[in-house]
Amino acid sequence: MKIALLAPAGAMHRYSGNFGKSLHYAPLTLTTLAALVPEDIDAEVVIYDETAGKIPLDIDAELIGITCITGTAPRCYAYADYFRKQGKTVFLGGVHPSMLPDEAAQHADVVFTGFSEQTFPQFLHDYQRGEFQKFYHQNCDFSIVGRPIPRRELLNKKRYITINTVEAIRGCMHNCTFCAYPAAFGKHVYKRPVKEVVAEIEALHSKHVLFPDVNLITDRKYALELFQAMIPLNIIWMGLVTSSVGIDKEIMEVFRKSGCRGLLIGFESITQASQKYIHKGHNRVDNYIDLMERLHDNGILVQGCFAFGGDEEDTSVFDRTVEMVIKAKIDLPRYSILTPFPRTAYYDQLESEGRITERNWAMYDVQHVVYQPKLMTAEQLMEGTDRAWRNTYSTSSILKRLAPFTNSPWIAFPVNMGYKGYADKWHKFTREVMCDNSDIPVL
């Protein structure tokens, strides 16, 4: 049996787009699926990640699996239609099919909803017997305990800043109105045994590890246990947390001792009313500068993420955000546009108000406006976001933010230059570019 696993990418994040090697790490979805192929099935697996290279149109495989998020849905469907016309069996999974399974089913032989650690091996056995189902839904007793080690050897490691991505905890307890994660997978938090995580890190034989988990501190007790156990490993690691990390001295201390050198934090907005609007009240805007000082004092650099376009924000938000980012010395700022993903509370609100203006999912990449903002025009939101990118990643801004160059400059400088290139090209990705899938033939 030959299986090809595909991860199509939107125009901005494609290998030919705006997201260079220094800006992306190896994802875990496809390498984990590859590891889930049962031992009693003789299968040859290949992976094609479109952020790292081209997806060929002449794939020699009978099974084609495609992972899909909302922003890539039209492209995923185009590939699915193309390969099905060639007589291949196509299965779709991921965030978007989990939220809109009936839509995905129009383009696939099989649709997976939720997490697939249990259902994917079941499907392969069913397929081998010639009696597979149209839908496979996440099991009620789902767990990530004993999850197999991802098959990283199937990736082209030269195309990623790192392939040493390790999962520890899956899920988040927060209920942010814009977040697609709970809409697709629910709010249950799944944890791998600490011993399994540590053993996987040790097997990497690397000094650098990245945790792509949505929120490493969603379970405080587990986080303390995990990172205490990592102290003897003497590694450098990075991961994702909320701004709550700054008010927990014990967490901060164990992070420092275990080798944390970088965190991604969703600051979202510099307007406190906007935090309430998106149900992210644990973000305290007046504490951002103090939080950054504490993190820097512990040798931790920060990728700070902001989302423009909330109903409490007017056109002054862009310049005020850049000013705060420079003052707080956020090492790696990243800007997006607040996006209403299907099945989220935010989408339902805007839909009920008649404010959704874009129906092509390709535009739902958090870098384009798909609704009518309240206190500005859509054009002003796009122009302001573009200006924030360019002003933040000017040479003078980079130098101001990174001075006095004591917090891991060997990481900060290359990635800042990567984002400088991203900022310079951001405006080129128009609707015409984003929605163009003409490179995939229609058979």
mmCIF file of all heavy atoms in Angstrom, residues 15-61:
data_model
loop_
_atom_site.group_PDB
_atom_site.id
_atom_site.type_symbol
_atom_site.label_atom_id
_atom_site.label_comp_id
_atom_site.label_asym_id
_atom_site.label_seq_id
_atom_site.Cartn_x
_atom_site.Cartn_y
_atom_site.Cartn_z
ATOM 1 N N TYR A 15 5.805 27.540 -0.172
ATOM 2 C CA TYR A 15 7.261 27.578 -0.366
ATOM 3 C C TYR A 15 7.659 28.699 -1.324
ATOM 4 O O TYR A 15 8.753 29.251 -1.233
ATOM 5 C CB TYR A 15 7.752 26.233 -0.915
ATOM 6 C CG TYR A 15 7.323 25.952 -2.333
ATOM 7 C CD1 TYR A 15 8.175 26.209 -3.400
ATOM 8 C CD2 TYR A 15 6.049 25.460 -2.615
ATOM 9 C CE1 TYR A 15 7.776 25.986 -4.704
ATOM 10 C CE2 TYR A 15 5.646 25.224 -3.907
ATOM 11 C CZ TYR A 15 6.503 25.494 -4.955
ATOM 12 O OH TYR A 15 6.102 25.275 -6.250
ATOM 13 N N SER A 16 6.764 29.060 -2.245
ATOM 14 C CA SER A 16 7.041 30.115 -3.223
ATOM 15 C C SER A 16 6.470 31.453 -2.779
ATOM 16 O O SER A 16 6.462 32.413 -3.554
ATOM 17 C CB SER A 16 6.428 29.726 -4.573
ATOM 18 O OG SER A 16 5.020 29.480 -4.430
ATOM 19 N N GLY A 17 5.988 31.540 -1.548
ATOM 20 C CA GLY A 17 5.303 32.744 -1.103
ATOM 21 C C GLY A 17 6.143 33.662 -0.242
ATOM 22 O O GLY A 17 7.221 34.102 -0.635
ATOM 23 N N ASN A 18 5.686 33.891 0.993
ATOM 24 C CA ASN A 18 6.243 34.959 1.816
ATOM 25 C C ASN A 18 6.797 34.472 3.142
ATOM 26 O O ASN A 18 7.104 35.266 4.010
ATOM 27 C CB ASN A 18 5.127 35.988 2.089
ATOM 28 C CG ASN A 18 5.680 37.344 2.459
ATOM 29 O OD1 ASN A 18 6.791 37.693 2.083
ATOM 30 N ND2 ASN A 18 4.903 38.115 3.195
ATOM 31 N N PHE A 19 6.923 33.148 3.308
ATOM 32 C CA PHE A 19 7.285 32.593 4.602
ATOM 33 C C PHE A 19 8.540 31.761 4.450
ATOM 34 O O PHE A 19 8.480 30.582 4.105
ATOM 35 C CB PHE A 19 6.127 31.735 5.123
ATOM 36 C CG PHE A 19 5.808 31.962 6.575
ATOM 37 C CD1 PHE A 19 5.339 33.191 7.002
ATOM 38 C CD2 PHE A 19 5.952 30.953 7.502
ATOM 39 C CE1 PHE A 19 5.023 33.416 8.339
ATOM 40 C CE2 PHE A 19 5.641 31.155 8.836
ATOM 41 C CZ PHE A 19 5.168 32.398 9.248
ATOM 42 N N GLY A 20 9.685 32.365 4.711
ATOM 43 C CA GLY A 20 10.960 31.685 4.500
ATOM 44 C C GLY A 20 11.271 30.651 5.562
ATOM 45 O O GLY A 20 10.576 30.496 6.560
ATOM 46 N N LYS A 21 12.361 29.943 5.350
ATOM 47 C CA LYS A 21 12.792 28.873 6.251
ATOM 48 C C LYS A 21 12.926 29.358 7.689
ATOM 49 O O LYS A 21 12.564 28.639 8.633
ATOM 50 C CB LYS A 21 14.123 28.298 5.766
ATOM 51 C CG LYS A 21 14.764 27.290 6.721
ATOM 52 C CD LYS A 21 16.097 26.794 6.200
ATOM 53 C CE LYS A 21 16.786 25.891 7.234
ATOM 54 N NZ LYS A 21 18.076 25.379 6.745
ATOM 55 N N SER A 22 13.419 30.572 7.884
ATOM 56 C CA SER A 22 13.672 31.062 9.238
ATOM 57 C C SER A 22 12.389 31.311 10.023
ATOM 58 O O SER A 22 12.430 31.553 11.229
ATOM 59 C CB SER A 22 14.483 32.359 9.192
ATOM 60 O OG SER A 22 13.730 33.407 8.596
ATOM 61 N N LEU A 23 11.236 31.242 9.337
ATOM 62 C CA LEU A 23 9.981 31.569 9.991
ATOM 63 C C LEU A 23 9.097 30.371 10.262
ATOM 64 O O LEU A 23 8.001 30.520 10.796
ATOM 65 C CB LEU A 23 9.199 32.595 9.149
ATOM 66 C CG LEU A 23 9.902 33.933 8.893
ATOM 67 C CD1 LEU A 23 8.988 34.852 8.111
ATOM 68 C CD2 LEU A 23 10.319 34.582 10.201
ATOM 69 N N HIS A 24 9.496 29.175 9.856
ATOM 70 C CA HIS A 24 8.605 28.054 10.159
ATOM 71 C C HIS A 24 9.361 26.786 10.530
ATOM 72 O O HIS A 24 10.436 26.505 10.043
ATOM 73 C CB HIS A 24 7.607 27.805 9.020
ATOM 74 C CG HIS A 24 8.156 27.134 7.814
ATOM 75 N ND1 HIS A 24 8.986 27.743 6.924
ATOM 76 C CD2 HIS A 24 7.952 25.875 7.329
ATOM 77 C CE1 HIS A 24 9.285 26.911 5.945
ATOM 78 N NE2 HIS A 24 8.680 25.767 6.174
ATOM 79 N N TYR A 25 8.720 26.062 11.444
ATOM 80 C CA TYR A 25 9.271 24.818 11.953
ATOM 81 C C TYR A 25 8.454 23.654 11.392
ATOM 82 O O TYR A 25 7.355 23.842 10.845
ATOM 83 C CB TYR A 25 9.236 24.808 13.481
ATOM 84 C CG TYR A 25 7.890 25.157 14.079
ATOM 85 C CD1 TYR A 25 6.881 24.205 14.181
ATOM 86 C CD2 TYR A 25 7.624 26.451 14.543
ATOM 87 C CE1 TYR A 25 5.641 24.519 14.710
ATOM 88 C CE2 TYR A 25 6.388 26.771 15.076
ATOM 89 C CZ TYR A 25 5.406 25.804 15.164
ATOM 90 O OH TYR A 25 4.174 26.127 15.686
ATOM 91 N N ALA A 26 8.975 22.453 11.552
ATOM 92 C CA ALA A 26 8.299 21.273 11.024
ATOM 93 C C ALA A 26 7.024 20.984 11.803
ATOM 94 O O ALA A 26 7.060 20.868 13.031
ATOM 95 C CB ALA A 26 9.233 20.068 11.078
ATOM 96 N N PRO A 27 5.883 20.859 11.123
ATOM 97 C CA PRO A 27 4.633 20.513 11.808
ATOM 98 C C PRO A 27 4.627 19.046 12.210
ATOM 99 O O PRO A 27 5.420 18.240 11.716
ATOM 100 C CB PRO A 27 3.562 20.805 10.746
ATOM 101 C CG PRO A 27 4.290 20.613 9.439
ATOM 102 C CD PRO A 27 5.697 21.056 9.673
ATOM 103 N N LEU A 28 3.702 18.692 13.116
ATOM 104 C CA LEU A 28 3.649 17.330 13.630
ATOM 105 C C LEU A 28 2.528 16.483 13.019
ATOM 106 O O LEU A 28 2.539 15.263 13.159
ATOM 107 C CB LEU A 28 3.459 17.363 15.155
ATOM 108 C CG LEU A 28 4.686 17.725 15.985
ATOM 109 C CD1 LEU A 28 4.291 17.973 17.433
ATOM 110 C CD2 LEU A 28 5.737 16.627 15.904
ATOM 111 N N THR A 29 1.567 17.101 12.369
ATOM 112 C CA THR A 29 0.374 16.371 11.931
ATOM 113 C C THR A 29 0.708 15.191 11.031
ATOM 114 O O THR A 29 0.331 14.042 11.305
ATOM 115 C CB THR A 29 -0.593 17.318 11.197
ATOM 116 O OG1 THR A 29 -0.940 18.402 12.061
ATOM 117 C CG2 THR A 29 -1.864 16.577 10.794
ATOM 118 N N LEU A 30 1.416 15.442 9.943
ATOM 119 C CA LEU A 30 1.644 14.383 8.963
ATOM 120 C C LEU A 30 2.663 13.359 9.446
ATOM 121 O O LEU A 30 2.530 12.162 9.179
ATOM 122 C CB LEU A 30 2.083 14.985 7.627
ATOM 123 C CG LEU A 30 1.074 15.943 6.970
ATOM 124 C CD1 LEU A 30 1.545 16.351 5.590
ATOM 125 C CD2 LEU A 30 -0.319 15.324 6.907
ATOM 126 N N THR A 31 3.687 13.807 10.156
ATOM 127 C CA THR A 31 4.681 12.851 10.669
ATOM 128 C C THR A 31 4.056 11.938 11.725
ATOM 129 O O THR A 31 4.427 10.768 11.849
ATOM 130 C CB THR A 31 5.889 13.584 11.265
ATOM 131 O OG1 THR A 31 5.437 14.560 12.208
ATOM 132 C CG2 THR A 31 6.707 14.255 10.183
ATOM 133 N N THR A 32 3.093 12.473 12.487
ATOM 134 C CA THR A 32 2.393 11.640 13.463
ATOM 135 C C THR A 32 1.478 10.638 12.767
ATOM 136 O O THR A 32 1.423 9.461 13.143
ATOM 137 C CB THR A 32 1.580 12.509 14.437
ATOM 138 O OG1 THR A 32 2.463 13.408 15.123
ATOM 139 C CG2 THR A 32 0.844 11.656 15.456
ATOM 140 N N LEU A 33 0.755 11.082 11.732
ATOM 141 C CA LEU A 33 -0.090 10.159 10.965
ATOM 142 C C LEU A 33 0.741 9.025 10.385
ATOM 143 O O LEU A 33 0.340 7.855 10.419
ATOM 144 C CB LEU A 33 -0.817 10.903 9.845
ATOM 145 C CG LEU A 33 -2.081 11.677 10.198
ATOM 146 C CD1 LEU A 33 -2.628 12.367 8.955
ATOM 147 C CD2 LEU A 33 -3.145 10.775 10.813
ATOM 148 N N ALA A 34 1.895 9.378 9.848
ATOM 149 C CA ALA A 34 2.765 8.349 9.268
ATOM 150 C C ALA A 34 3.170 7.324 10.314
ATOM 151 O O ALA A 34 3.272 6.120 10.028
ATOM 152 C CB ALA A 34 4.007 9.000 8.653
ATOM 153 N N ALA A 35 3.385 7.784 11.536
ATOM 154 C CA ALA A 35 3.787 6.873 12.610
ATOM 155 C C ALA A 35 2.634 5.997 13.092
ATOM 156 O O ALA A 35 2.858 4.987 13.764
ATOM 157 C CB ALA A 35 4.339 7.673 13.786
ATOM 158 N N LEU A 36 1.408 6.387 12.755
ATOM 159 C CA LEU A 36 0.226 5.652 13.198
ATOM 160 C C LEU A 36 -0.148 4.499 12.277
ATOM 161 O O LEU A 36 -1.078 3.745 12.582
ATOM 162 C CB LEU A 36 -0.969 6.611 13.317
ATOM 163 C CG LEU A 36 -0.911 7.608 14.471
ATOM 164 C CD1 LEU A 36 -1.963 8.690 14.296
ATOM 165 C CD2 LEU A 36 -1.104 6.905 15.808
ATOM 166 N N VAL A 37 0.543 4.351 11.164
ATOM 167 C CA VAL A 37 0.252 3.227 10.273
ATOM 168 C C VAL A 37 0.543 1.921 11.019
ATOM 169 O O VAL A 37 1.660 1.723 11.508
ATOM 170 C CB VAL A 37 1.107 3.303 8.986
ATOM 171 C CG1 VAL A 37 0.858 2.076 8.112
ATOM 172 C CG2 VAL A 37 0.781 4.581 8.218
ATOM 173 N N PRO A 38 -0.437 1.030 11.160
ATOM 174 C CA PRO A 38 -0.235 -0.201 11.931
ATOM 175 C C PRO A 38 0.880 -1.071 11.359
ATOM 176 O O PRO A 38 1.108 -1.102 10.142
ATOM 177 C CB PRO A 38 -1.593 -0.912 11.807
ATOM 178 C CG PRO A 38 -2.573 0.176 11.510
ATOM 179 C CD PRO A 38 -1.822 1.166 10.669
ATOM 180 N N GLU A 39 1.570 -1.770 12.244
ATOM 181 C CA GLU A 39 2.696 -2.608 11.826
ATOM 182 C C GLU A 39 2.260 -3.754 10.917
ATOM 183 O O GLU A 39 3.051 -4.247 10.116
ATOM 184 C CB GLU A 39 3.415 -3.160 13.061
ATOM 185 C CG GLU A 39 4.137 -2.097 13.878
ATOM 186 C CD GLU A 39 4.887 -2.691 15.061
ATOM 187 O OE1 GLU A 39 4.842 -3.940 15.211
ATOM 188 O OE2 GLU A 39 5.508 -1.929 15.818
ATOM 189 N N ASP A 40 1.000 -4.178 11.042
ATOM 190 C CA ASP A 40 0.551 -5.309 10.226
ATOM 191 C C ASP A 40 0.123 -4.889 8.822
ATOM 192 O O ASP A 40 -0.337 -5.713 8.037
ATOM 193 C CB ASP A 40 -0.593 -6.058 10.920
ATOM 194 C CG ASP A 40 -1.817 -5.176 11.140
ATOM 195 O OD1 ASP A 40 -1.684 -3.938 11.064
ATOM 196 O OD2 ASP A 40 -2.916 -5.722 11.383
ATOM 197 N N ILE A 41 0.268 -3.597 8.515
ATOM 198 C CA ILE A 41 -0.032 -3.117 7.166
ATOM 199 C C ILE A 41 1.276 -2.741 6.481
ATOM 200 O O ILE A 41 2.032 -1.893 6.970
ATOM 201 C CB ILE A 41 -0.981 -1.902 7.208
ATOM 202 C CG1 ILE A 41 -2.368 -2.340 7.700
ATOM 203 C CG2 ILE A 41 -1.091 -1.250 5.829
ATOM 204 C CD1 ILE A 41 -3.385 -1.220 7.777
ATOM 205 N N ASP A 42 1.535 -3.357 5.369
ATOM 206 C CA ASP A 42 2.752 -3.087 4.596
ATOM 207 C C ASP A 42 2.524 -1.821 3.783
ATOM 208 O O ASP A 42 1.902 -1.855 2.721
ATOM 209 C CB ASP A 42 3.067 -4.282 3.686
ATOM 210 C CG ASP A 42 4.374 -4.078 2.920
ATOM 211 O OD1 ASP A 42 5.167 -3.199 3.326
ATOM 212 O OD2 ASP A 42 4.576 -4.790 1.914
ATOM 213 N N ALA A 43 3.000 -0.700 4.308
ATOM 214 C CA ALA A 43 2.719 0.585 3.666
ATOM 215 C C ALA A 43 3.987 1.390 3.455
ATOM 216 O O ALA A 43 4.882 1.423 4.296
ATOM 217 C CB ALA A 43 1.737 1.389 4.515
ATOM 218 N N GLU A 44 4.020 2.066 2.333
ATOM 219 C CA GLU A 44 5.086 3.017 2.009
ATOM 220 C C GLU A 44 4.484 4.413 2.089
ATOM 221 O O GLU A 44 3.501 4.704 1.402
ATOM 222 C CB GLU A 44 5.624 2.749 0.610
ATOM 223 C CG GLU A 44 6.708 3.711 0.154
ATOM 224 C CD GLU A 44 7.139 3.452 -1.280
ATOM 225 O OE1 GLU A 44 7.096 2.284 -1.718
ATOM 226 O OE2 GLU A 44 7.501 4.433 -1.975
ATOM 227 N N VAL A 45 5.049 5.283 2.949
ATOM 228 C CA VAL A 45 4.468 6.598 3.202
ATOM 229 C C VAL A 45 5.414 7.703 2.737
ATOM 230 O O VAL A 45 6.615 7.649 3.007
ATOM 231 C CB VAL A 45 4.155 6.787 4.703
ATOM 232 C CG1 VAL A 45 3.483 8.134 4.943
ATOM 233 C CG2 VAL A 45 3.272 5.651 5.217
ATOM 234 N N VAL A 46 4.850 8.700 2.050
ATOM 235 C CA VAL A 46 5.609 9.901 1.689
ATOM 236 C C VAL A 46 4.832 11.114 2.175
ATOM 237 O O VAL A 46 3.610 11.075 2.309
ATOM 238 C CB VAL A 46 5.854 10.010 0.169
ATOM 239 C CG1 VAL A 46 6.779 8.914 -0.319
ATOM 240 C CG2 VAL A 46 4.537 9.991 -0.601
ATOM 241 N N ILE A 47 5.564 12.192 2.458
ATOM 242 C CA ILE A 47 4.959 13.428 2.956
ATOM 243 C C ILE A 47 5.331 14.587 2.029
ATOM 244 O O ILE A 47 6.497 14.732 1.637
ATOM 245 C CB ILE A 47 5.443 13.726 4.388
ATOM 246 C CG1 ILE A 47 4.809 12.740 5.378
ATOM 247 C CG2 ILE A 47 5.117 15.164 4.797
ATOM 248 C CD1 ILE A 47 5.302 12.908 6.805
ATOM 249 N N TYR A 48 4.331 15.415 1.706
ATOM 250 C CA TYR A 48 4.571 16.628 0.929
ATOM 251 C C TYR A 48 3.958 17.809 1.680
ATOM 252 O O TYR A 48 2.739 17.910 1.818
ATOM 253 C CB TYR A 48 3.942 16.521 -0.462
ATOM 254 C CG TYR A 48 4.549 15.435 -1.320
ATOM 255 C CD1 TYR A 48 3.871 14.226 -1.529
ATOM 256 C CD2 TYR A 48 5.804 15.597 -1.912
ATOM 257 C CE1 TYR A 48 4.420 13.231 -2.319
ATOM 258 C CE2 TYR A 48 6.365 14.598 -2.693
ATOM 259 C CZ TYR A 48 5.667 13.417 -2.895
ATOM 260 O OH TYR A 48 6.226 12.417 -3.671
ATOM 261 N N ASP A 49 4.817 18.681 2.186
ATOM 262 C CA ASP A 49 4.405 19.879 2.910
ATOM 263 C C ASP A 49 4.649 21.070 1.997
ATOM 264 O O ASP A 49 5.790 21.381 1.652
ATOM 265 C CB ASP A 49 5.216 20.001 4.206
ATOM 266 C CG ASP A 49 4.936 21.282 4.963
ATOM 267 O OD1 ASP A 49 4.032 22.047 4.561
ATOM 268 O OD2 ASP A 49 5.622 21.534 5.981
ATOM 269 N N GLU A 50 3.577 21.752 1.603
ATOM 270 C CA GLU A 50 3.711 22.816 0.598
ATOM 271 C C GLU A 50 4.367 24.078 1.149
ATOM 272 O O GLU A 50 4.706 24.972 0.373
ATOM 273 C CB GLU A 50 2.337 23.148 0.003
ATOM 274 C CG GLU A 50 2.427 23.668 -1.416
ATOM 275 C CD GLU A 50 1.091 23.770 -2.113
ATOM 276 O OE1 GLU A 50 0.048 23.876 -1.436
ATOM 277 O OE2 GLU A 50 1.077 23.762 -3.364
ATOM 278 N N THR A 51 4.572 24.168 2.455
ATOM 279 C CA THR A 51 5.375 25.275 2.960
ATOM 280 C C THR A 51 6.852 25.034 2.698
ATOM 281 O O THR A 51 7.665 25.954 2.740
ATOM 282 C CB THR A 51 5.183 25.483 4.484
ATOM 283 O OG1 THR A 51 5.733 24.375 5.192
ATOM 284 C CG2 THR A 51 3.709 25.635 4.831
ATOM 285 N N ALA A 52 7.200 23.788 2.427
ATOM 286 C CA ALA A 52 8.617 23.422 2.261
ATOM 287 C C ALA A 52 8.964 23.005 0.850
ATOM 288 O O ALA A 52 10.143 22.886 0.512
ATOM 289 C CB ALA A 52 8.972 22.284 3.224
ATOM 290 N N GLY A 53 7.977 22.770 0.001
ATOM 291 C CA GLY A 53 8.264 22.331 -1.357
ATOM 292 C C GLY A 53 6.983 22.086 -2.139
ATOM 293 O O GLY A 53 5.877 22.172 -1.603
ATOM 294 N N LYS A 54 7.157 21.750 -3.379
ATOM 295 C CA LYS A 54 6.011 21.573 -4.281
ATOM 296 C C LYS A 54 5.315 20.239 -4.040
ATOM 297 O O LYS A 54 5.957 19.228 -3.735
ATOM 298 C CB LYS A 54 6.497 21.652 -5.729
ATOM 299 C CG LYS A 54 5.390 21.701 -6.768
ATOM 300 C CD LYS A 54 5.971 21.931 -8.157
ATOM 301 C CE LYS A 54 4.859 22.053 -9.192
ATOM 302 N NZ LYS A 54 5.417 22.306 -10.551
ATOM 303 N N ILE A 55 3.991 20.219 -4.181
ATOM 304 C CA ILE A 55 3.236 18.976 -4.178
ATOM 305 C C ILE A 55 3.136 18.493 -5.626
ATOM 306 O O ILE A 55 2.540 19.174 -6.460
ATOM 307 C CB ILE A 55 1.824 19.172 -3.583
ATOM 308 C CG1 ILE A 55 1.919 19.525 -2.104
ATOM 309 C CG2 ILE A 55 0.969 17.912 -3.779
ATOM 310 C CD1 ILE A 55 0.573 19.804 -1.444
ATOM 311 N N PRO A 56 3.717 17.352 -5.944
ATOM 312 C CA PRO A 56 3.690 16.884 -7.337
ATOM 313 C C PRO A 56 2.283 16.445 -7.756
ATOM 314 O O PRO A 56 1.478 16.026 -6.918
ATOM 315 C CB PRO A 56 4.666 15.702 -7.333
ATOM 316 C CG PRO A 56 4.696 15.235 -5.919
ATOM 317 C CD PRO A 56 4.471 16.441 -5.058
ATOM 318 N N LEU A 57 2.019 16.532 -9.029
ATOM 319 C CA LEU A 57 0.712 16.139 -9.555
ATOM 320 C C LEU A 57 0.698 14.696 -10.042
ATOM 321 O O LEU A 57 -0.346 14.184 -10.450
ATOM 322 C CB LEU A 57 0.307 17.079 -10.696
ATOM 323 C CG LEU A 57 0.120 18.546 -10.297
ATOM 324 C CD1 LEU A 57 -0.120 19.411 -11.534
ATOM 325 C CD2 LEU A 57 -1.035 18.695 -9.314
ATOM 326 N N ASP A 58 1.848 14.044 -9.996
ATOM 327 C CA ASP A 58 1.945 12.665 -10.484
ATOM 328 C C ASP A 58 2.334 11.719 -9.341
ATOM 329 O O ASP A 58 3.173 10.834 -9.500
ATOM 330 C CB ASP A 58 2.965 12.571 -11.615
ATOM 331 C CG ASP A 58 4.349 13.071 -11.209
ATOM 332 O OD1 ASP A 58 4.456 13.698 -10.133
ATOM 333 O OD2 ASP A 58 5.319 12.830 -11.954
ATOM 334 N N ILE A 59 1.712 11.891 -8.194
ATOM 335 C CA ILE A 59 2.042 11.082 -7.016
ATOM 336 C C ILE A 59 1.675 9.622 -7.251
ATOM 337 O O ILE A 59 0.560 9.311 -7.680
ATOM 338 C CB ILE A 59 1.305 11.615 -5.769
ATOM 339 C CG1 ILE A 59 1.798 13.019 -5.422
ATOM 340 C CG2 ILE A 59 1.499 10.679 -4.582
ATOM 341 C CD1 ILE A 59 1.055 13.675 -4.275
ATOM 342 N N ASP A 60 2.616 8.750 -6.977
ATOM 343 C CA ASP A 60 2.384 7.310 -7.111
ATOM 344 C C ASP A 60 1.921 6.768 -5.760
ATOM 345 O O ASP A 60 2.711 6.313 -4.943
ATOM 346 C CB ASP A 60 3.675 6.602 -7.559
ATOM 347 C CG ASP A 60 3.495 5.097 -7.669
ATOM 348 O OD1 ASP A 60 2.342 4.640 -7.798
ATOM 349 O OD2 ASP A 60 4.515 4.377 -7.622
ATOM 350 N N ALA A 61 0.616 6.852 -5.519
ATOM 351 C CA ALA A 61 0.036 6.365 -4.267
ATOM 352 C C ALA A 61 -1.441 6.090 -4.493
ATOM 353 O O ALA A 61 -2.108 6.797 -5.263
ATOM 354 C CB ALA A 61 0.218 7.385 -3.154
#
